[in-house]
Amino acid sequence: QEQLAESGGGSVQAGGSLTLSCAISGYTFTPTCMGWFRQAPGKERERVATLYTSTADKIYAASVKGRFTISQDNSESTLYLQMNNLEPEDTGSYYCATGGRFGERLNCANVREMDVWGKGTLVTVSS
């Protein structure tokens, strides 16, 4: 059974950095995409960054572009989110997720189209 487990969250001051990790296990197929989402208190879950497995294309939300970087290790067992120059607005629970199967067309920015989710890790940025 496919499983995702996030780690690396914590508290940091504005301008600081954090790296989130997502351990990937139990997959017998390559998903169409892998990504990071976040949910702030009282707000809907939103896409932060997406990695498309077939092309290695990386797509970022406008609010994090230039500050966050999504990557995967060579063994494809861990997905990372490097977060620099953090802002209080980045506070929230961060989730990794995968969607679809290799080659399947999917809107990977849509929360509802992602199949497998981790339980999340909390990031708090203070001003």
Side-chain angles (χ1 to χ4, degrees):
Q1 184 176 359
E2 302 86 37
Q3 291 187 330
L4 303 171
E6 303 92 340
S7 61
S11 297
V12 64
Q13 289 192 326
S17 299
L18 282 174
T19 299
L20 305 183
S21 300
C22 174
I24 304 162
S25 62
Y27 281 75
T28 58
F29 59 91
T30 301
T32 297
C33 57
M34 313 176 72
W36 287 94
F37 293 74
R38 69 185 180 190
Q39 188 165 17
K43 294 189 176 181
E44 293 186 352
R45 193 170 297 188
E46 63 175 359
R47 189 268 302 268
V48 174
T50 300
L51 171 65
Y52 287 88
T53 56
S54 60
T55 61
D57 287 343
K58 300 175 182 180
I59 307 297
Y60 297 93
S63 59
V64 307
K65 199 169 186 178
R67 300 188 296 122
F68 290 13
T69 302
I70 187 171
S71 64
Q72 190 176 22
D73 68 347
N74 290 336
S75 67
E76 300 183 351
S77 62
T78 307
L79 185 71
Y80 298 100
L81 185 68
Q82 173 67 43
M83 306 186 294
N84 297 326
N85 194 19
L86 283 159
E87 302 170 353
E89 293 75 20
D90 296 318
T91 293
S93 292
Y94 283 69
Y95 302 87
C96 64
T98 65
R101 291 174 179 256
F102 191 87
E104 178 182 352
R105 298 190 71 173
L106 201 70
N107 180 0
C108 296
N110 188 335
V111 170
R112 287 183 289 274
E113 295 201 27
M114 304 302 279
D115 303 317
V116 182
W117 291 87
K119 294 183 178 180
T121 185
L122 181 63
V123 172
T124 303
V125 184
S126 58
S127 57

